[in-house]
Coordinates of all heavy atoms in Angstrom, one line a residue:
M1289 N -5.1 8.5 -10.3 CA -4.8 7.9 -9.0 C -5.7 6.7 -8.7 O -6.9 6.8 -9.1 CB -5.0 9.0 -7.9 CG -3.9 10.1 -8.0 SD -3.8 11.1 -6.5 CE -5.4 12.0 -6.6
I1290 N -5.2 5.7 -8.1 CA -5.9 4.5 -7.8 C -5.6 4.0 -6.4 O -4.6 4.5 -5.8 CB -5.6 3.4 -8.8 CG1 -4.1 3.0 -8.8 CG2 -6.1 3.8 -10.2 CD1 -3.8 1.8 -9.7
S1291 N -6.3 3.1 -5.9 CA -6.0 2.6 -4.6 C -4.9 1.5 -4.7 O -4.8 0.8 -5.8 CB -7.2 2.1 -3.9 OG -7.9 1.0 -4.6
L1292 N -4.2 1.3 -3.7 CA -3.1 0.3 -3.7 C -3.5 -1.1 -4.0 O -2.8 -1.8 -4.7 CB -2.4 0.3 -2.3 CG -1.2 -0.6 -2.1 CD1 -0.1 -0.3 -3.1 CD2 -0.7 -0.4 -0.7
D1293 N -4.7 -1.5 -3.6 CA -5.2 -2.8 -3.9 C -5.5 -3.1 -5.4 O -5.6 -4.2 -5.8 CB -6.5 -3.1 -3.1 CG -7.7 -2.3 -3.5 OD1 -7.5 -1.1 -3.7 OD2 -8.8 -2.8 -3.5
K1294 N -5.5 -2.0 -6.2 CA -5.7 -2.1 -7.6 C -4.4 -2.3 -8.4 O -4.5 -2.7 -9.6 CB -6.4 -0.9 -8.2 CG -7.8 -0.6 -7.5 CD -8.8 -1.7 -7.9 CE -10.2 -1.3 -7.4 NZ -10.7 -2.1 -6.4
L1295 N -3.3 -2.1 -7.8 CA -2.0 -2.3 -8.5 C -1.8 -3.8 -8.7 O -2.0 -4.6 -7.8 CB -0.8 -1.8 -7.7 CG -0.7 -0.2 -7.6 CD1 0.6 0.1 -6.8 CD2 -0.5 0.4 -9.0
A1296 N -1.2 -4.2 -9.8 CA -0.9 -5.6 -10.1 C 0.4 -6.0 -9.5 O 1.3 -5.1 -9.2 CB -0.9 -5.8 -11.6
T1297 N 0.7 -7.2 -9.4 CA 1.9 -7.7 -8.9 C 3.1 -7.2 -9.8 O 3.0 -7.3 -11.0 CB 2.0 -9.3 -8.9 OG1 0.9 -9.7 -8.1 CG2 3.3 -9.8 -8.3
G1298 N 4.1 -6.7 -9.1 CA 5.3 -6.1 -9.9 C 5.1 -4.6 -10.2 O 6.1 -4.0 -10.6
E1299 N 4.0 -4.0 -9.9 CA 3.8 -2.6 -10.2 C 4.1 -1.8 -8.9 O 4.0 -2.3 -7.8 CB 2.4 -2.3 -10.6 CG 2.0 -2.8 -12.0 CD 0.7 -2.4 -12.4 OE1 -0.2 -2.2 -11.6 OE2 0.5 -2.3 -13.7
S1300 N 4.6 -0.6 -9.2 CA 4.9 0.3 -8.1 C 4.0 1.5 -8.1 O 3.5 1.9 -9.1 CB 6.4 0.8 -8.2 OG 7.3 -0.2 -8.1
G1301 N 3.9 2.2 -6.9 CA 3.1 3.4 -6.8 C 3.7 4.3 -5.7 O 4.3 3.8 -4.8
E1302 N 3.4 5.6 -5.9 CA 3.8 6.5 -4.9 C 2.6 6.9 -4.1 O 1.6 7.3 -4.7 CB 4.5 7.8 -5.5 CG 4.9 8.8 -4.5 CD 5.6 10.0 -5.1 OE1 6.2 9.8 -6.2 OE2 5.5 11.1 -4.5
I1303 N 2.6 6.8 -2.8 CA 1.5 7.1 -1.9 C 1.2 8.6 -2.0 O 2.1 9.4 -1.8 CB 1.7 6.7 -0.5 CG1 1.9 5.2 -0.4 CG2 0.6 7.1 0.4 CD1 2.3 4.6 1.0
R1304 N -0.1 8.9 -2.3 CA -0.5 10.3 -2.3 C -1.3 10.7 -1.1 O -1.1 11.7 -0.5 CB -1.4 10.5 -3.5 CG -0.7 10.5 -4.8 CD 0.3 11.6 -4.9 NE 1.1 11.5 -6.1 CZ 2.2 12.1 -6.3 NH1 2.6 13.0 -5.4 NH2 2.9 12.0 -7.3
T1305 N -2.1 9.8 -0.6 CA -2.9 10.0 0.6 C -3.3 8.7 1.3 O -3.4 7.7 0.6 CB -4.2 10.9 0.3 OG1 -4.8 11.2 1.5 CG2 -5.1 10.2 -0.6
V1306 N -3.5 8.8 2.6 CA -4.0 7.6 3.3 C -5.4 8.0 3.8 O -5.5 8.9 4.6 CB -3.0 7.2 4.5 CG1 -3.6 6.1 5.3 CG2 -1.7 6.9 3.9
E1307 N -6.4 7.3 3.4 CA -7.8 7.6 3.8 C -8.1 6.7 5.0 O -7.3 6.0 5.5 CB -8.7 7.3 2.6 CG -8.4 8.2 1.5 CD -9.3 7.9 0.3 OE1 -9.9 6.8 0.2 OE2 -9.4 8.8 -0.6
G1308 N -9.3 6.8 5.4 CA -9.8 6.1 6.6 C -9.8 7.0 7.8 O -9.5 8.2 7.7
Q1309 N -10.3 6.5 8.9 CA -10.4 7.3 10.1 C -9.9 6.6 11.3 O -9.8 5.4 11.4 CB -11.9 7.6 10.3 CG -12.5 8.4 9.2 CD -14.0 8.7 9.4 OE1 -14.5 8.3 10.5 NE2 -14.7 9.3 8.5
G1310 N -9.6 7.4 12.3 CA -9.2 6.9 13.6 C -8.1 5.9 13.6 O -7.0 6.2 13.0
V1311 N -8.3 4.8 14.3 CA -7.3 3.8 14.6 C -6.7 3.2 13.3 O -5.5 3.0 13.2 CB -7.8 2.7 15.5 CG1 -6.8 1.6 15.8 CG2 -8.3 3.3 16.8
L1312 N -7.6 2.9 12.3 CA -7.1 2.3 11.1 C -6.1 3.2 10.4 O -5.0 2.8 10.0 CB -8.2 2.0 10.1 CG -7.8 1.6 8.7 CD1 -7.0 0.3 8.8 CD2 -9.0 1.4 7.8
R1313 N -6.4 4.5 10.2 CA -5.5 5.5 9.6 C -4.2 5.6 10.3 O -3.1 5.6 9.7 CB -6.2 6.8 9.4 CG -5.4 7.8 8.6 CD -6.2 9.1 8.3 NE -5.5 9.9 7.4 CZ -4.5 10.8 7.7 NH1 -4.2 10.9 9.0 NH2 -3.9 11.5 6.8
R1314 N -4.3 5.7 11.6 CA -3.1 5.9 12.5 C -2.2 4.6 12.3 O -1.0 4.7 12.2 CB -3.5 6.1 13.9 CG -2.4 6.1 14.9 CD -1.3 7.2 14.9 NE -1.6 8.4 14.2 CZ -0.7 9.1 13.6 NH1 0.6 8.7 13.5 NH2 -0.9 10.2 13.0
H1315 N -2.8 3.5 12.3 CA -2.1 2.2 12.2 C -1.3 2.1 10.8 O -0.2 1.8 10.8 CB -3.1 1.0 12.3 CG -2.5 -0.3 12.2 ND1 -1.6 -0.8 13.1 CD2 -2.6 -1.3 11.3 CE1 -1.2 -2.0 12.8 NE2 -1.8 -2.4 11.7
L1316 N -2.0 2.5 9.7 CA -1.3 2.5 8.4 C -0.2 3.5 8.4 O 0.9 3.2 7.9 CB -2.3 2.9 7.3 CG -3.5 1.8 7.1 CD1 -4.5 2.4 6.2 CD2 -2.9 0.5 6.6
L1317 N -0.4 4.7 8.9 CA 0.7 5.7 9.0 C 1.9 5.2 9.8 O 3.0 5.4 9.5 CB 0.1 7.0 9.5 CG -0.9 7.7 8.6 CD1 -1.5 8.9 9.3 CD2 -0.2 8.2 7.3
D1318 N 1.6 4.6 11.0 CA 2.6 4.1 11.9 C 3.5 3.0 11.2 O 4.6 2.8 11.6 CB 2.0 3.6 13.2 CG 1.5 4.7 14.1 OD1 1.9 5.8 13.9 OD2 0.8 4.3 15.0
M1319 N 2.9 2.3 10.3 CA 3.6 1.2 9.6 C 4.5 1.8 8.4 O 5.2 1.0 7.7 CB 2.7 0.2 9.0 CG 2.0 -0.7 10.1 SD 1.1 -2.1 9.4 CE -0.2 -1.3 8.5
G1320 N 4.5 3.1 8.3 CA 5.4 3.7 7.3 C 4.7 4.0 6.0 O 5.3 4.4 5.0
L1321 N 3.4 3.8 5.9 CA 2.6 4.1 4.7 C 2.2 5.6 4.7 O 1.1 6.0 5.0 CB 1.4 3.2 4.6 CG 1.7 1.7 4.5 CD1 0.5 0.9 4.9 CD2 2.2 1.4 3.1
T1322 N 3.2 6.4 4.4 CA 3.0 7.9 4.5 C 3.1 8.5 3.0 O 3.7 7.9 2.2 CB 4.1 8.5 5.4 OG1 5.4 8.2 4.9 CG2 3.9 8.1 6.8
P1323 N 2.5 9.6 2.8 CA 2.6 10.3 1.5 C 4.0 10.4 1.0 O 5.0 10.6 1.8 CB 1.9 11.6 1.7 CG 1.0 11.4 2.8 CD 1.7 10.4 3.7
K1324 N 4.2 10.3 -0.3 CA 5.5 10.3 -1.0 C 6.4 9.1 -0.9 O 7.5 9.1 -1.4 CB 6.3 11.6 -0.7 CG 5.5 12.9 -1.0 CD 6.3 14.1 -0.8 CE 5.5 15.3 -1.2 NZ 6.2 16.5 -0.9
T1325 N 5.9 8.0 -0.2 CA 6.6 6.8 -0.1 C 6.3 5.9 -1.3 O 5.1 5.8 -1.7 CB 6.2 6.0 1.2 OG1 6.5 6.9 2.3 CG2 6.9 4.7 1.3
V1326 N 7.3 5.3 -1.9 CA 7.1 4.5 -3.1 C 7.0 3.0 -2.6 O 7.8 2.6 -1.7 CB 8.3 4.6 -4.1 CG1 8.1 3.5 -5.2 CG2 8.4 6.0 -4.6
V1327 N 5.9 2.3 -3.0 CA 5.7 1.0 -2.6 C 5.6 0.1 -3.9 O 5.2 0.5 -5.0 CB 4.4 0.8 -1.9 CG1 4.4 1.6 -0.6 CG2 3.2 1.2 -2.7
L1328 N 6.1 -1.2 -3.7 CA 6.1 -2.2 -4.8 C 5.2 -3.3 -4.4 O 5.4 -3.8 -3.2 CB 7.5 -2.7 -5.1 CG 7.7 -3.9 -5.9 CD1 7.3 -3.6 -7.4 CD2 9.1 -4.4 -5.8
V1329 N 4.3 -3.7 -5.2 CA 3.5 -4.9 -4.9 C 4.3 -6.1 -5.3 O 4.6 -6.4 -6.4 CB 2.1 -4.9 -5.7 CG1 1.3 -6.2 -5.4 CG2 1.3 -3.6 -5.3
R1330 N 4.7 -6.9 -4.2 CA 5.5 -8.1 -4.4 C 4.7 -9.3 -4.8 O 5.1 -10.0 -5.7 CB 6.3 -8.3 -3.2 CG 7.6 -7.5 -3.0 CD 8.7 -8.4 -3.3 NE 10.0 -7.7 -3.3 CZ 10.9 -7.8 -2.4 NH1 10.7 -8.6 -1.3 NH2 12.0 -7.2 -2.5
K1331 N 3.7 -9.6 -4.0 CA 3.0 -10.9 -4.2 C 1.5 -10.7 -3.7 O 1.2 -9.7 -3.0 CB 3.5 -12.0 -3.3 CG 4.9 -12.4 -3.5 CD 5.2 -13.6 -2.5 CE 6.6 -13.5 -2.0 NZ 6.9 -14.5 -1.0
R1332 N 0.7 -11.6 -4.2 CA -0.7 -11.6 -3.8 C -1.0 -13.1 -3.4 O -0.5 -14.0 -4.1 CB -1.7 -11.2 -4.9 CG -1.6 -9.7 -5.1 CD -2.6 -9.4 -6.2 NE -2.6 -8.0 -6.5 CZ -3.4 -7.1 -5.9 NH1 -4.3 -7.5 -5.0 NH2 -3.3 -5.8 -6.1
A1333 N -1.8 -13.3 -2.4 CA -2.3 -14.6 -2.1 C -3.1 -15.2 -3.3 O -3.6 -14.4 -4.1 CB -3.1 -14.6 -0.8
P1334 N -3.3 -16.5 -3.4 CA -4.0 -17.0 -4.6 C -5.4 -16.4 -4.8 O -5.8 -16.2 -5.9 CB -4.2 -18.5 -4.2 CG -2.9 -18.8 -3.4 CD -2.7 -17.5 -2.6
L1335 N -6.1 -16.0 -3.7 CA -7.4 -15.4 -3.9 C -7.4 -13.9 -3.9 O -8.4 -13.2 -3.8 CB -8.4 -15.9 -2.9 CG -8.7 -17.4 -3.0 CD1 -9.6 -17.9 -1.8 CD2 -9.3 -17.8 -4.3
G1336 N -6.1 -13.3 -3.9 CA -6.0 -11.9 -4.0 C -5.9 -11.1 -2.7 O -5.7 -9.9 -2.6
D1337 N -6.0 -11.9 -1.6 CA -5.9 -11.2 -0.2 C -5.3 -12.2 0.7 O -5.7 -13.3 0.9 CB -7.4 -11.0 0.2 CG -7.5 -10.1 1.4 OD1 -6.5 -9.4 1.7 OD2 -8.5 -10.0 2.1
P1338 N -4.2 -11.8 1.4 CA -3.6 -10.5 1.5 C -2.6 -10.1 0.4 O -2.4 -10.9 -0.5 CB -2.9 -10.5 2.8 CG -2.4 -12.0 2.9 CD -3.6 -12.8 2.3
I1339 N -2.1 -8.9 0.5 CA -1.1 -8.4 -0.5 C 0.2 -8.1 0.2 O 0.2 -7.5 1.3 CB -1.7 -7.0 -1.1 CG1 -3.0 -7.2 -1.8 CG2 -0.7 -6.4 -2.1 CD1 -3.7 -5.9 -2.1
E1340 N 1.3 -8.6 -0.4 CA 2.6 -8.3 0.2 C 3.2 -7.1 -0.6 O 3.3 -7.2 -1.8 CB 3.5 -9.5 0.1 CG 4.9 -9.3 0.7 CD 5.8 -10.5 0.6 OE1 5.5 -11.5 1.2 OE2 6.8 -10.4 -0.1
I1341 N 3.6 -6.1 0.1 CA 4.3 -4.9 -0.5 C 5.7 -4.7 0.0 O 6.0 -5.2 1.1 CB 3.4 -3.6 -0.3 CG1 3.3 -3.3 1.1 CG2 2.1 -3.8 -1.0 CD1 2.6 -2.0 1.4
F1342 N 6.5 -4.0 -0.7 CA 7.9 -3.7 -0.3 C 8.0 -2.2 -0.2 O 7.6 -1.5 -1.2 CB 8.9 -4.3 -1.3 CG 10.3 -4.0 -0.9 CD1 10.9 -4.8 0.1 CD2 11.0 -3.0 -1.5 CE1 12.2 -4.6 0.4 CE2 12.3 -2.8 -1.2 CZ 12.9 -3.6 -0.2
L1343 N 8.4 -1.6 0.9 CA 8.6 -0.2 1.0 C 9.7 0.0 2.1 O 9.8 -0.7 3.0 CB 7.3 0.5 1.5 CG 6.8 0.3 2.9 CD1 6.0 1.5 3.4 CD2 5.9 -1.0 2.9
R1344 N 10.4 1.1 1.9 CA 11.4 1.5 2.9 C 12.4 0.4 3.3 O 12.8 0.4 4.5 CB 10.8 2.2 4.1 CG 9.9 3.4 3.8 CD 9.2 3.9 5.1 NE 8.3 5.0 4.8 CZ 8.6 6.2 5.0 NH1 9.7 6.6 5.6 NH2 7.7 7.2 4.7
G1345 N 12.6 -0.5 2.5 CA 13.6 -1.6 2.8 C 13.0 -2.8 3.5 O 13.8 -3.6 4.0
Y1346 N 11.7 -2.9 3.7 CA 11.1 -4.0 4.3 C 9.8 -4.4 3.6 O 9.2 -3.7 2.9 CB 10.8 -3.7 5.8 CG 9.8 -2.8 6.1 CD1 8.5 -3.2 6.4 CD2 10.0 -1.4 6.2 CE1 7.5 -2.3 6.7 CE2 9.0 -0.5 6.5 CZ 7.7 -0.9 6.7 OH 6.8 0.0 7.0
E1347 N 9.4 -5.7 4.0 CA 8.2 -6.2 3.4 C 7.0 -6.1 4.4 O 7.3 -6.2 5.6 CB 8.4 -7.7 3.0 CG 9.4 -7.9 1.9 CD 9.8 -9.3 1.7 OE1 9.5 -10.2 2.6 OE2 10.4 -9.6 0.7
L1348 N 5.9 -5.8 3.9 CA 4.7 -5.6 4.7 C 3.5 -6.3 4.1 O 3.4 -6.2 2.8 CB 4.4 -4.1 4.9 CG 3.2 -3.7 5.7 CD1 3.4 -4.1 7.1 CD2 3.0 -2.2 5.5
T1349 N 2.7 -7.0 4.8 CA 1.5 -7.7 4.3 C 0.3 -6.9 4.8 O 0.1 -6.7 6.0 CB 1.5 -9.1 4.8 OG1 2.7 -9.8 4.3 CG2 0.3 -9.8 4.2
L1350 N -0.6 -6.6 3.9 CA -1.8 -5.9 4.2 C -3.0 -6.6 3.6 O -3.0 -7.3 2.6 CB -1.9 -4.5 3.5 CG -0.8 -3.5 3.9 CD1 -1.0 -2.3 3.0 CD2 -1.1 -3.1 5.3
R1351 N -4.1 -6.5 4.3 CA -5.4 -7.0 3.8 C -5.8 -6.1 2.6 O -5.5 -4.9 2.7 CB -6.5 -7.1 4.8 CG -6.2 -8.2 5.8 CD -7.3 -8.2 6.9 NE -6.8 -7.2 7.9 CZ -7.6 -6.7 8.8 NH1 -8.9 -7.0 8.9 NH2 -7.1 -5.8 9.7
A1352 N -6.5 -6.6 1.7 CA -7.0 -5.8 0.5 C -7.9 -4.7 1.0 O -7.8 -3.6 0.5 CB -7.7 -6.7 -0.5
E1353 N -8.6 -4.9 2.1 CA -9.5 -3.9 2.6 C -8.7 -2.7 3.2 O -9.1 -1.6 3.1 CB -10.4 -4.6 3.7 CG -10.9 -3.8 4.8 CD -11.6 -4.6 5.9 OE1 -12.2 -5.7 5.5 OE2 -11.6 -4.2 7.0
E1354 N -7.5 -3.0 3.8 CA -6.7 -1.9 4.3 C -6.0 -1.2 3.1 O -5.9 0.0 3.1 CB -5.6 -2.5 5.2 CG -6.1 -3.1 6.4 CD -5.1 -3.9 7.2 OE1 -4.1 -4.5 6.6 OE2 -5.2 -4.0 8.4
A1355 N -5.5 -2.0 2.1 CA -4.9 -1.4 1.0 C -5.8 -0.5 0.2 O -5.3 0.5 -0.5 CB -4.3 -2.5 0.1
A1356 N -7.1 -0.7 0.2 CA -8.0 0.1 -0.5 C -8.1 1.6 0.1 O -8.5 2.5 -0.6 CB -9.4 -0.5 -0.4
N1357 N -7.6 1.8 1.3 CA -7.5 3.1 1.9 C -6.3 3.9 1.5 O -6.2 5.0 1.9 CB -7.6 3.0 3.4 CG -8.9 2.5 3.9 OD1 -9.9 3.2 3.7 ND2 -9.0 1.4 4.6
I1358 N -5.4 3.3 0.7 CA -4.2 4.0 0.4 C -4.2 4.3 -1.1 O -4.3 3.5 -2.0 CB -2.9 3.0 0.6 CG1 -2.9 2.7 2.1 CG2 -1.7 3.7 0.2 CD1 -2.1 1.5 2.4
I1359 N -4.2 5.6 -1.4 CA -4.3 6.1 -2.8 C -2.9 6.4 -3.3 O -2.1 7.1 -2.6 CB -5.2 7.4 -2.8 CG1 -6.5 7.2 -2.1 CG2 -5.3 7.9 -4.2 CD1 -7.4 6.1 -2.7
V1360 N -2.6 5.9 -4.5 CA -1.3 6.0 -5.1 C -1.4 6.5 -6.5 O -2.4 6.4 -7.1 CB -0.5 4.6 -5.1 CG1 -0.4 4.1 -3.6 CG2 -1.3 3.6 -5.9
T1361 N -0.3 6.9 -7.0 CA -0.1 7.2 -8.5 C 0.9 6.2 -8.9 O 1.9 5.9 -8.3 CB 0.4 8.6 -8.8 OG1 1.6 8.9 -8.1 CG2 -0.7 9.6 -8.4
E1362 N 0.7 5.6 -10.1 CA 1.6 4.6 -10.6 C 2.9 5.2 -11.0 O 3.0 6.3 -11.4 CB 1.0 3.9 -11.9 CG -0.2 3.1 -11.5 CD -0.7 2.3 -12.7 OE1 0.0 1.4 -13.2 OE2 -1.9 2.6 -13.1
V1363 N 4.0 4.4 -10.7 CA 5.4 4.8 -11.0 C 6.0 3.8 -12.0 O 5.9 2.6 -11.8 CB 6.2 4.8 -9.6 CG1 7.6 5.1 -9.9 CG2 5.6 5.8 -8.6
Q1364 N 6.6 4.4 -13.0 CA 7.3 3.5 -14.0 C 8.7 3.2 -13.5 O 9.4 4.1 -13.0 CB 7.4 4.2 -15.3 CG 6.0 4.5 -15.9 CD 5.2 3.3 -16.2 OE1 5.7 2.3 -16.6 NE2 3.9 3.4 -16.0
Q1365 N 9.1 1.9 -13.6 CA 10.4 1.6 -13.1 C 11.4 1.5 -14.2 O 11.1 1.2 -15.3 CB 10.4 0.2 -12.3 CG 9.6 0.4 -11.1 CD 9.6 -1.0 -10.3 OE1 9.6 -2.0 -10.9 NE2 9.5 -0.9 -9.0

């Protein structure tokens, strides 16, 4: 298992757990980043932050610091 920020562009992962505490964790869960959801890393900014991901039929942009709180297992497509 690795954190979402470690996936390369074009790679997918299934969310296993969302770490963090309080408001940050609640915010990530409210955006649909819940366990068993498959996410695809679509793009990265030139310096690697932010990260654009695709999940549940929509695109979402996260800071690398936020993505580091999401633990995934890699999924082969």
